[in-house]
Amino acid sequence: MASNSVLYRCSLISFQYTGAATVIVGRRTVAISGNGFRACTSIRLSRNCCSCSNPNPNDTAFVVADDEKYGNKQIISLTPRLYDYILSNVREPEVSPDQAQLLAMLVQILGAKRCIELGVYTGYSSLAVALVLPDSACLVACERDAKSLEVAKKYYELAGVSHKVDVKHGMAADVLNSLILNGESCSFFLQL
Ligand SMILES: C[S@@+](CC[C@H](N)C(=O)[O-])C[C@H]1O[C@@H](n2cnc3c(N)ncnc32)[C@H](O)[C@@H]1O
């Protein structure tokens, strides 16, 4: 129970830029946020020097989004140069690398065996979680948009984690209802 509380708080922090995180936490179950199901927007980044004496802004320790809708998200583990590279060479993540790493770390700390994500988009955070799940574990990945889900499935394949991901194409409410009908209701605690 204590660990679930920790997860709940961390999830809210992790997704506070959306203002409306969807968090599902249950016994040995970790929920990945669908981050309020807002429309996906692109990120405009500005560089913030952590040290005024630093002559090269590309060498600063973090970047901050200047789009208020994005909540001035700080990416503490990447330099602007590296983050620019990621954005131009990899699909744009809806969550930051830090957030995905935090989720993965929480899954590992809790020893989670069953995870669920409502709103997978192209699968960035679900992939981070699937990568650290043991082979016997399962992530239910729910997404209403077929095209986004195809991208996510491609990356699950490439990363060799498809066998751990139970992809559900459909509306979150329908997927949750079918989980309940399948007798899995007591596995989940839902907070919207
Ligand atoms: C902001 S993106 C999620 C980002 C994702 N968590 C990631 O790590 O990249 C929100 C996604 O939720 C999906 N979505 C919105 N409402 C939904 C619903 N009722 N059921 C299933 N998916 C939904 C959207 O199609 C969109 O792909």
Side-chain angles (χ1 to χ4, degrees):
M1 196 60 195
S3 58
N4 285 345
S5 300
V6 170
L7 172 65
Y8 172 69
R9 283 200 302 274
C10 289
S11 294
L12 287 181
I13 292 165
S14 176
F15 295 96
Q16 76 185 136
Y17 72 95
T18 68
T22 299
V23 181
I24 302 174
V25 181
R27 186 173 169 77
R28 297 184 71 74
T29 299
V30 172
I32 309 308
S33 164
N35 87 10
F37 303 132
R38 67 174 171 74
C40 303
T41 56
S42 62
I43 309 164
R44 296 195 314 274
L45 293 174
S46 64
R47 293 181 167 83
N48 261 24
C49 293
C50 60
S51 162
C52 295
S53 60
N54 193 330
N56 183 353
N58 284 336
D59 291 334
T60 56
F62 59 85
V63 290
V64 177
D66 66 358
D67 185 343
E68 278 188 13
K69 285 183 193 160
Y70 207 70
N72 299 321
K73 181 175 62 177
Q74 293 191 5
I75 298 113
I76 54 175
S77 62
L78 297 176
T79 63
R81 194 172 172 189
L82 188 51
Y83 198 58
D84 286 347
Y85 176 85
I86 289 174
L87 291 183
S88 52
N89 290 281
V90 186
R91 69 214 151 110
E92 180 178 321
E94 268 292 306
V95 301
S96 77
D98 294 325
Q99 290 168 326
Q101 285 173 33
L102 175 62
L103 287 169
M105 185 180 74
L106 291 169
V107 167
Q108 289 177 299
I109 289 171
L110 292 171
K113 296 282 188 280
R114 303 187 66 225
C115 306
I116 182 166
E117 176 173 43
L118 304 177
V120 165
Y121 188 43
T122 55
Y124 187 78
S125 49
S126 57
L127 181 58
V129 167
L131 280 167
V132 299
L133 281 175
D135 275 343
S136 58
C138 174
L139 165 68
V140 174
C142 165
E143 170 58 52
R144 68 180 178 186
D145 180 62
K147 281 187 182 170
S148 300
L149 210 46
E150 283 310 308
V151 177
K153 281 157 67 176
K154 184 179 88 178
Y155 284 100
Y156 299 150
E157 282 289 332
L158 282 170
V161 299
S162 296
H163 61 290
K164 297 186 231 173
V165 186
D166 183 6
V167 173
K168 306 273 193 197
H169 177 215
M171 299 300 285
D174 297 334
V175 169
L176 290 174
N177 273 334
S178 72
L179 288 171
I180 291 167
L181 289 174
N182 209 28
E184 299 177 56
S185 56
C186 47
S187 310
F188 299 95
F189 169 75
L190 173 63
Q191 173 149 357
L192 293 175

PDB file of all heavy atoms in Angstrom, residues 93-126:
ATOM      1  N   PRO A  93       8.567  12.431 -28.503  1.00  0.00           N
ATOM      2  CA  PRO A  93       7.847  11.794 -27.400  1.00  0.00           C
ATOM      3  C   PRO A  93       6.814  12.726 -26.793  1.00  0.00           C
ATOM      4  O   PRO A  93       7.005  13.933 -26.750  1.00  0.00           O
ATOM      5  CB  PRO A  93       8.962  11.502 -26.393  1.00  0.00           C
ATOM      6  CG  PRO A  93      10.033  12.479 -26.697  1.00  0.00           C
ATOM      7  CD  PRO A  93       9.922  12.841 -28.149  1.00  0.00           C
ATOM      8  N   GLU A  94       5.708  12.168 -26.368  1.00  0.00           N
ATOM      9  CA  GLU A  94       4.694  12.949 -25.678  1.00  0.00           C
ATOM     10  C   GLU A  94       5.045  13.113 -24.205  1.00  0.00           C
ATOM     11  O   GLU A  94       4.571  14.010 -23.541  1.00  0.00           O
ATOM     12  CB  GLU A  94       3.326  12.273 -25.799  1.00  0.00           C
ATOM     13  CG  GLU A  94       2.523  12.749 -26.979  1.00  0.00           C
ATOM     14  CD  GLU A  94       2.084  14.194 -26.844  1.00  0.00           C
ATOM     15  OE1 GLU A  94       1.469  14.541 -25.835  1.00  0.00           O
ATOM     16  OE2 GLU A  94       2.351  14.967 -27.771  1.00  0.00           O
ATOM     17  N   VAL A  95       5.838  12.206 -23.696  1.00  0.00           N
ATOM     18  CA  VAL A  95       6.396  12.391 -22.366  1.00  0.00           C
ATOM     19  C   VAL A  95       7.895  12.591 -22.548  1.00  0.00           C
ATOM     20  O   VAL A  95       8.455  12.204 -23.563  1.00  0.00           O
ATOM     21  CB  VAL A  95       6.122  11.186 -21.438  1.00  0.00           C
ATOM     22  CG1 VAL A  95       4.642  10.940 -21.290  1.00  0.00           C
ATOM     23  CG2 VAL A  95       6.799   9.932 -21.960  1.00  0.00           C
ATOM     24  N   SER A  96       8.521  13.211 -21.567  1.00  0.00           N
ATOM     25  CA  SER A  96       9.949  13.469 -21.711  1.00  0.00           C
ATOM     26  C   SER A  96      10.735  12.191 -21.414  1.00  0.00           C
ATOM     27  O   SER A  96      10.222  11.273 -20.758  1.00  0.00           O
ATOM     28  CB  SER A  96      10.384  14.569 -20.748  1.00  0.00           C
ATOM     29  OG  SER A  96      10.483  14.038 -19.435  1.00  0.00           O
ATOM     30  N   PRO A  97      11.978  12.119 -21.876  1.00  0.00           N
ATOM     31  CA  PRO A  97      12.808  10.962 -21.533  1.00  0.00           C
ATOM     32  C   PRO A  97      12.891  10.759 -20.023  1.00  0.00           C
ATOM     33  O   PRO A  97      12.879   9.635 -19.542  1.00  0.00           O
ATOM     34  CB  PRO A  97      14.167  11.330 -22.129  1.00  0.00           C
ATOM     35  CG  PRO A  97      13.835  12.225 -23.277  1.00  0.00           C
ATOM     36  CD  PRO A  97      12.655  13.029 -22.819  1.00  0.00           C
ATOM     37  N   ASP A  98      12.948  11.861 -19.273  1.00  0.00           N
ATOM     38  CA  ASP A  98      13.005  11.742 -17.811  1.00  0.00           C
ATOM     39  C   ASP A  98      11.759  11.074 -17.259  1.00  0.00           C
ATOM     40  O   ASP A  98      11.817  10.231 -16.370  1.00  0.00           O
ATOM     41  CB  ASP A  98      13.145  13.120 -17.160  1.00  0.00           C
ATOM     42  CG  ASP A  98      14.468  13.758 -17.486  1.00  0.00           C
ATOM     43  OD1 ASP A  98      15.453  13.027 -17.587  1.00  0.00           O
ATOM     44  OD2 ASP A  98      14.495  14.981 -17.656  1.00  0.00           O
ATOM     45  N   GLN A  99      10.620  11.485 -17.790  1.00  0.00           N
ATOM     46  CA  GLN A  99       9.364  10.928 -17.299  1.00  0.00           C
ATOM     47  C   GLN A  99       9.270   9.440 -17.608  1.00  0.00           C
ATOM     48  O   GLN A  99       8.835   8.646 -16.772  1.00  0.00           O
ATOM     49  CB  GLN A  99       8.179  11.683 -17.909  1.00  0.00           C
ATOM     50  CG  GLN A  99       8.055  13.092 -17.373  1.00  0.00           C
ATOM     51  CD  GLN A  99       7.072  13.921 -18.172  1.00  0.00           C
ATOM     52  OE1 GLN A  99       6.940  13.753 -19.383  1.00  0.00           O
ATOM     53  NE2 GLN A  99       6.389  14.825 -17.497  1.00  0.00           N
ATOM     54  N   ALA A 100       9.688   9.091 -18.817  1.00  0.00           N
ATOM     55  CA  ALA A 100       9.649   7.675 -19.186  1.00  0.00           C
ATOM     56  C   ALA A 100      10.595   6.867 -18.302  1.00  0.00           C
ATOM     57  O   ALA A 100      10.269   5.765 -17.861  1.00  0.00           O
ATOM     58  CB  ALA A 100      10.023   7.518 -20.658  1.00  0.00           C
ATOM     59  N   GLN A 101      11.765   7.440 -18.027  1.00  0.00           N
ATOM     60  CA  GLN A 101      12.713   6.733 -17.157  1.00  0.00           C
ATOM     61  C   GLN A 101      12.169   6.598 -15.735  1.00  0.00           C
ATOM     62  O   GLN A 101      12.387   5.585 -15.066  1.00  0.00           O
ATOM     63  CB  GLN A 101      14.053   7.463 -17.141  1.00  0.00           C
ATOM     64  CG  GLN A 101      14.850   7.243 -18.408  1.00  0.00           C
ATOM     65  CD  GLN A 101      16.103   8.099 -18.465  1.00  0.00           C
ATOM     66  OE1 GLN A 101      16.710   8.374 -17.442  1.00  0.00           O
ATOM     67  NE2 GLN A 101      16.462   8.529 -19.651  1.00  0.00           N
ATOM     68  N   LEU A 102      11.465   7.634 -15.286  1.00  0.00           N
ATOM     69  CA  LEU A 102      10.880   7.558 -13.938  1.00  0.00           C
ATOM     70  C   LEU A 102       9.842   6.436 -13.875  1.00  0.00           C
ATOM     71  O   LEU A 102       9.807   5.646 -12.928  1.00  0.00           O
ATOM     72  CB  LEU A 102      10.237   8.891 -13.558  1.00  0.00           C
ATOM     73  CG  LEU A 102       9.490   8.893 -12.220  1.00  0.00           C
ATOM     74  CD1 LEU A 102      10.428   8.600 -11.061  1.00  0.00           C
ATOM     75  CD2 LEU A 102       8.784  10.229 -12.003  1.00  0.00           C
ATOM     76  N   LEU A 103       9.000   6.377 -14.907  1.00  0.00           N
ATOM     77  CA  LEU A 103       7.994   5.304 -14.939  1.00  0.00           C
ATOM     78  C   LEU A 103       8.652   3.933 -14.924  1.00  0.00           C
ATOM     79  O   LEU A 103       8.242   3.036 -14.185  1.00  0.00           O
ATOM     80  CB  LEU A 103       7.131   5.448 -16.201  1.00  0.00           C
ATOM     81  CG  LEU A 103       6.138   6.602 -16.203  1.00  0.00           C
ATOM     82  CD1 LEU A 103       5.552   6.795 -17.587  1.00  0.00           C
ATOM     83  CD2 LEU A 103       5.043   6.349 -15.188  1.00  0.00           C
ATOM     84  N   ALA A 104       9.685   3.797 -15.737  1.00  0.00           N
ATOM     85  CA  ALA A 104      10.381   2.512 -15.803  1.00  0.00           C
ATOM     86  C   ALA A 104      11.000   2.169 -14.441  1.00  0.00           C
ATOM     87  O   ALA A 104      10.944   1.023 -13.984  1.00  0.00           O
ATOM     88  CB  ALA A 104      11.444   2.554 -16.887  1.00  0.00           C
ATOM     89  N   MET A 105      11.555   3.183 -13.799  1.00  0.00           N
ATOM     90  CA  MET A 105      12.173   2.951 -12.492  1.00  0.00           C
ATOM     91  C   MET A 105      11.118   2.532 -11.462  1.00  0.00           C
ATOM     92  O   MET A 105      11.337   1.623 -10.656  1.00  0.00           O
ATOM     93  CB  MET A 105      12.887   4.222 -12.025  1.00  0.00           C
ATOM     94  CG  MET A 105      13.657   4.044 -10.730  1.00  0.00           C
ATOM     95  SD  MET A 105      14.457   5.571 -10.248  1.00  0.00           S
ATOM     96  CE  MET A 105      13.071   6.516  -9.678  1.00  0.00           C
ATOM     97  N   LEU A 106       9.948   3.168 -11.510  1.00  0.00           N
ATOM     98  CA  LEU A 106       8.883   2.820 -10.562  1.00  0.00           C
ATOM     99  C   LEU A 106       8.407   1.382 -10.781  1.00  0.00           C
ATOM    100  O   LEU A 106       8.141   0.652  -9.825  1.00  0.00           O
ATOM    101  CB  LEU A 106       7.709   3.789 -10.712  1.00  0.00           C
ATOM    102  CG  LEU A 106       7.985   5.218 -10.245  1.00  0.00           C
ATOM    103  CD1 LEU A 106       6.862   6.141 -10.672  1.00  0.00           C
ATOM    104  CD2 LEU A 106       8.162   5.249  -8.733  1.00  0.00           C
ATOM    105  N   VAL A 107       8.314   1.007 -12.043  1.00  0.00           N
ATOM    106  CA  VAL A 107       7.917  -0.371 -12.353  1.00  0.00           C
ATOM    107  C   VAL A 107       8.911  -1.348 -11.742  1.00  0.00           C
ATOM    108  O   VAL A 107       8.534  -2.359 -11.143  1.00  0.00           O
ATOM    109  CB  VAL A 107       7.832  -0.570 -13.880  1.00  0.00           C
ATOM    110  CG1 VAL A 107       7.751  -2.050 -14.234  1.00  0.00           C
ATOM    111  CG2 VAL A 107       6.629   0.168 -14.429  1.00  0.00           C
ATOM    112  N   GLN A 108      10.187  -1.006 -11.857  1.00  0.00           N
ATOM    113  CA  GLN A 108      11.223  -1.886 -11.317  1.00  0.00           C
ATOM    114  C   GLN A 108      11.201  -1.908  -9.792  1.00  0.00           C
ATOM    115  O   GLN A 108      11.320  -2.959  -9.164  1.00  0.00           O
ATOM    116  CB  GLN A 108      12.586  -1.443 -11.829  1.00  0.00           C
ATOM    117  CG  GLN A 108      12.774  -1.722 -13.303  1.00  0.00           C
ATOM    118  CD  GLN A 108      14.107  -1.223 -13.814  1.00  0.00           C
ATOM    119  OE1 GLN A 108      14.388  -0.034 -13.769  1.00  0.00           O
ATOM    120  NE2 GLN A 108      14.933  -2.123 -14.280  1.00  0.00           N
ATOM    121  N   ILE A 109      11.042  -0.738  -9.192  1.00  0.00           N
ATOM    122  CA  ILE A 109      11.033  -0.670  -7.723  1.00  0.00           C
ATOM    123  C   ILE A 109       9.868  -1.483  -7.159  1.00  0.00           C
ATOM    124  O   ILE A 109      10.018  -2.216  -6.176  1.00  0.00           O
ATOM    125  CB  ILE A 109      10.927   0.801  -7.252  1.00  0.00           C
ATOM    126  CG1 ILE A 109      12.234   1.537  -7.542  1.00  0.00           C
ATOM    127  CG2 ILE A 109      10.597   0.875  -5.759  1.00  0.00           C
ATOM    128  CD1 ILE A 109      12.152   3.031  -7.315  1.00  0.00           C
ATOM    129  N   LEU A 110       8.708  -1.345  -7.801  1.00  0.00           N
ATOM    130  CA  LEU A 110       7.517  -2.038  -7.304  1.00  0.00           C
ATOM    131  C   LEU A 110       7.501  -3.517  -7.680  1.00  0.00           C
ATOM    132  O   LEU A 110       6.723  -4.288  -7.138  1.00  0.00           O
ATOM    133  CB  LEU A 110       6.253  -1.375  -7.872  1.00  0.00           C
ATOM    134  CG  LEU A 110       5.949   0.035  -7.364  1.00  0.00           C
ATOM    135  CD1 LEU A 110       4.813   0.649  -8.159  1.00  0.00           C
ATOM    136  CD2 LEU A 110       5.593  -0.009  -5.887  1.00  0.00           C
ATOM    137  N   GLY A 111       8.330  -3.877  -8.635  1.00  0.00           N
ATOM    138  CA  GLY A 111       8.265  -5.250  -9.135  1.00  0.00           C
ATOM    139  C   GLY A 111       6.923  -5.503  -9.796  1.00  0.00           C
ATOM    140  O   GLY A 111       6.346  -6.581  -9.667  1.00  0.00           O
ATOM    141  N   ALA A 112       6.431  -4.489 -10.509  1.00  0.00           N
ATOM    142  CA  ALA A 112       5.091  -4.582 -11.105  1.00  0.00           C
ATOM    143  C   ALA A 112       5.019  -5.710 -12.121  1.00  0.00           C
ATOM    144  O   ALA A 112       5.947  -5.930 -12.894  1.00  0.00           O
ATOM    145  CB  ALA A 112       4.726  -3.262 -11.773  1.00  0.00           C
ATOM    146  N   LYS A 113       3.898  -6.395 -12.084  1.00  0.00           N
ATOM    147  CA  LYS A 113       3.679  -7.496 -13.028  1.00  0.00           C
ATOM    148  C   LYS A 113       2.580  -7.169 -14.034  1.00  0.00           C
ATOM    149  O   LYS A 113       2.482  -7.768 -15.085  1.00  0.00           O
ATOM    150  CB  LYS A 113       3.286  -8.780 -12.266  1.00  0.00           C
ATOM    151  CG  LYS A 113       4.383  -9.300 -11.349  1.00  0.00           C
ATOM    152  CD  LYS A 113       5.463 -10.039 -12.146  1.00  0.00           C
ATOM    153  CE  LYS A 113       6.460 -10.722 -11.255  1.00  0.00           C
ATOM    154  NZ  LYS A 113       7.470  -9.803 -10.736  1.00  0.00           N
ATOM    155  N   ARG A 114       1.718  -6.229 -13.656  1.00  0.00           N
ATOM    156  CA  ARG A 114       0.618  -5.879 -14.553  1.00  0.00           C
ATOM    157  C   ARG A 114       0.523  -4.361 -14.645  1.00  0.00           C
ATOM    158  O   ARG A 114       0.387  -3.670 -13.641  1.00  0.00           O
ATOM    159  CB  ARG A 114      -0.698  -6.454 -14.035  1.00  0.00           C
ATOM    160  CG  ARG A 114      -0.646  -7.963 -13.848  1.00  0.00           C
ATOM    161  CD  ARG A 114      -2.009  -8.514 -13.506  1.00  0.00           C
ATOM    162  NE  ARG A 114      -2.916  -8.352 -14.630  1.00  0.00           N
ATOM    163  CZ  ARG A 114      -4.178  -7.905 -14.503  1.00  0.00           C
ATOM    164  NH1 ARG A 114      -4.633  -7.553 -13.343  1.00  0.00           N
ATOM    165  NH2 ARG A 114      -4.940  -7.809 -15.555  1.00  0.00           N
ATOM    166  N   CYS A 115       0.627  -3.865 -15.845  1.00  0.00           N
ATOM    167  CA  CYS A 115       0.560  -2.424 -16.055  1.00  0.00           C
ATOM    168  C   CYS A 115      -0.513  -2.136 -17.100  1.00  0.00           C
ATOM    169  O   CYS A 115      -0.838  -2.988 -17.918  1.00  0.00           O
ATOM    170  CB  CYS A 115       1.894  -1.890 -16.574  1.00  0.00           C
ATOM    171  SG  CYS A 115       3.295  -2.323 -15.546  1.00  0.00           S
ATOM    172  N   ILE A 116      -1.033  -0.926 -17.053  1.00  0.00           N
ATOM    173  CA  ILE A 116      -2.013  -0.550 -18.066  1.00  0.00           C
ATOM    174  C   ILE A 116      -1.772   0.898 -18.469  1.00  0.00           C
ATOM    175  O   ILE A 116      -1.503   1.744 -17.619  1.00  0.00           O
ATOM    176  CB  ILE A 116      -3.467  -0.757 -17.569  1.00  0.00           C
ATOM    177  CG1 ILE A 116      -4.457  -0.408 -18.675  1.00  0.00           C
ATOM    178  CG2 ILE A 116      -3.759   0.030 -16.299  1.00  0.00           C
ATOM    179  CD1 ILE A 116      -5.870  -0.882 -18.397  1.00  0.00           C
ATOM    180  N   GLU A 117      -1.853   1.149 -19.762  1.00  0.00           N
ATOM    181  CA  GLU A 117      -1.749   2.519 -20.251  1.00  0.00           C
ATOM    182  C   GLU A 117      -2.995   2.839 -21.060  1.00  0.00           C
ATOM    183  O   GLU A 117      -3.343   2.117 -21.992  1.00  0.00           O
ATOM    184  CB  GLU A 117      -0.517   2.714 -21.131  1.00  0.00           C
ATOM    185  CG  GLU A 117      -0.470   4.117 -21.711  1.00  0.00           C
ATOM    186  CD  GLU A 117       0.804   4.428 -22.449  1.00  0.00           C
ATOM    187  OE1 GLU A 117       1.271   3.580 -23.214  1.00  0.00           O
ATOM    188  OE2 GLU A 117       1.330   5.517 -22.270  1.00  0.00           O
ATOM    189  N   LEU A 118      -3.635   3.948 -20.701  1.00  0.00           N
ATOM    190  CA  LEU A 118      -4.806   4.411 -21.439  1.00  0.00           C
ATOM    191  C   LEU A 118      -4.379   5.589 -22.290  1.00  0.00           C
ATOM    192  O   LEU A 118      -4.097   6.665 -21.768  1.00  0.00           O
ATOM    193  CB  LEU A 118      -5.922   4.813 -20.471  1.00  0.00           C
ATOM    194  CG  LEU A 118      -6.359   3.719 -19.490  1.00  0.00           C
ATOM    195  CD1 LEU A 118      -7.414   4.246 -18.535  1.00  0.00           C
ATOM    196  CD2 LEU A 118      -6.861   2.494 -20.248  1.00  0.00           C
ATOM    197  N   GLY A 119      -4.293   5.401 -23.581  1.00  0.00           N
ATOM    198  CA  GLY A 119      -3.802   6.444 -24.477  1.00  0.00           C
ATOM    199  C   GLY A 119      -2.323   6.235 -24.748  1.00  0.00           C
ATOM    200  O   GLY A 119      -1.460   6.893 -24.186  1.00  0.00           O
ATOM    201  N   VAL A 120      -2.035   5.307 -25.613  1.00  0.00           N
ATOM    202  CA  VAL A 120      -0.656   4.891 -25.887  1.00  0.00           C
ATOM    203  C   VAL A 120       0.071   5.876 -26.808  1.00  0.00           C
ATOM    204  O   VAL A 120       1.276   6.053 -26.710  1.00  0.00           O
ATOM    205  CB  VAL A 120      -0.677   3.479 -26.544  1.00  0.00           C
ATOM    206  CG1 VAL A 120       0.641   3.140 -27.184  1.00  0.00           C
ATOM    207  CG2 VAL A 120      -1.065   2.446 -25.497  1.00  0.00           C
ATOM    208  N   TYR A 121      -0.697   6.505 -27.695  1.00  0.00           N
ATOM    209  CA  TYR A 121      -0.137   7.325 -28.779  1.00  0.00           C
ATOM    210  C   TYR A 121       0.863   6.467 -29.551  1.00  0.00           C
ATOM    211  O   TYR A 121       0.500   5.374 -29.981  1.00  0.00           O
ATOM    212  CB  TYR A 121       0.473   8.607 -28.203  1.00  0.00           C
ATOM    213  CG  TYR A 121       0.898   9.598 -29.268  1.00  0.00           C
ATOM    214  CD1 TYR A 121       0.108   9.868 -30.384  1.00  0.00           C
ATOM    215  CD2 TYR A 121       2.108  10.283 -29.164  1.00  0.00           C
ATOM    216  CE1 TYR A 121       0.504  10.778 -31.354  1.00  0.00           C
ATOM    217  CE2 TYR A 121       2.505  11.202 -30.133  1.00  0.00           C
ATOM    218  CZ  TYR A 121       1.704  11.437 -31.218  1.00  0.00           C
ATOM    219  OH  TYR A 121       2.104  12.332 -32.176  1.00  0.00           O
ATOM    220  N   THR A 122       2.097   6.905 -29.739  1.00  0.00           N
ATOM    221  CA  THR A 122       3.027   6.069 -30.518  1.00  0.00           C
ATOM    222  C   THR A 122       3.892   5.187 -29.620  1.00  0.00           C
ATOM    223  O   THR A 122       4.884   4.628 -30.072  1.00  0.00           O
ATOM    224  CB  THR A 122       3.918   6.948 -31.418  1.00  0.00           C
ATOM    225  OG1 THR A 122       4.572   7.919 -30.603  1.00  0.00           O
ATOM    226  CG2 THR A 122       3.113   7.641 -32.490  1.00  0.00           C
ATOM    227  N   GLY A 123       3.541   5.118 -28.339  1.00  0.00           N
ATOM    228  CA  GLY A 123       4.119   4.088 -27.494  1.00  0.00           C
ATOM    229  C   GLY A 123       5.409   4.416 -26.773  1.00  0.00           C
ATOM    230  O   GLY A 123       6.115   3.509 -26.334  1.00  0.00           O
ATOM    231  N   TYR A 124       5.704   5.689 -26.645  1.00  0.00           N
ATOM    232  CA  TYR A 124       6.992   6.034 -26.026  1.00  0.00           C
ATOM    233  C   TYR A 124       7.089   5.548 -24.578  1.00  0.00           C
ATOM    234  O   TYR A 124       8.018   4.831 -24.207  1.00  0.00           O
ATOM    235  CB  TYR A 124       7.213   7.549 -26.090  1.00  0.00           C
ATOM    236  CG  TYR A 124       8.579   7.975 -25.619  1.00  0.00           C
ATOM    237  CD1 TYR A 124       9.690   7.828 -26.439  1.00  0.00           C
ATOM    238  CD2 TYR A 124       8.766   8.512 -24.353  1.00  0.00           C
ATOM    239  CE1 TYR A 124      10.950   8.205 -26.011  1.00  0.00           C
ATOM    240  CE2 TYR A 124      10.022   8.896 -23.914  1.00  0.00           C
ATOM    241  CZ  TYR A 124      11.100   8.751 -24.758  1.00  0.00           C
ATOM    242  OH  TYR A 124      12.353   9.128 -24.329  1.00  0.00           O
ATOM    243  N   SER A 125       6.128   5.937 -23.748  1.00  0.00           N
ATOM    244  CA  SER A 125       6.223   5.538 -22.340  1.00  0.00           C
ATOM    245  C   SER A 125       5.920   4.057 -22.159  1.00  0.00           C
ATOM    246  O   SER A 125       6.519   3.392 -21.305  1.00  0.00           O
ATOM    247  CB  SER A 125       5.311   6.394 -21.456  1.00  0.00           C
ATOM    248  OG  SER A 125       4.022   6.459 -21.984  1.00  0.00           O
ATOM    249  N   SER A 126       5.022   3.529 -22.982  1.00  0.00           N
ATOM    250  CA  SER A 126       4.731   2.095 -22.838  1.00  0.00           C
ATOM    251  C   SER A 126       5.954   1.261 -23.211  1.00  0.00           C
ATOM    252  O   SER A 126       6.211   0.217 -22.605  1.00  0.00           O
ATOM    253  CB  SER A 126       3.523   1.686 -23.681  1.00  0.00           C
ATOM    254  OG  SER A 126       3.719   2.009 -25.034  1.00  0.00           O
TER     255      SER A 126
END
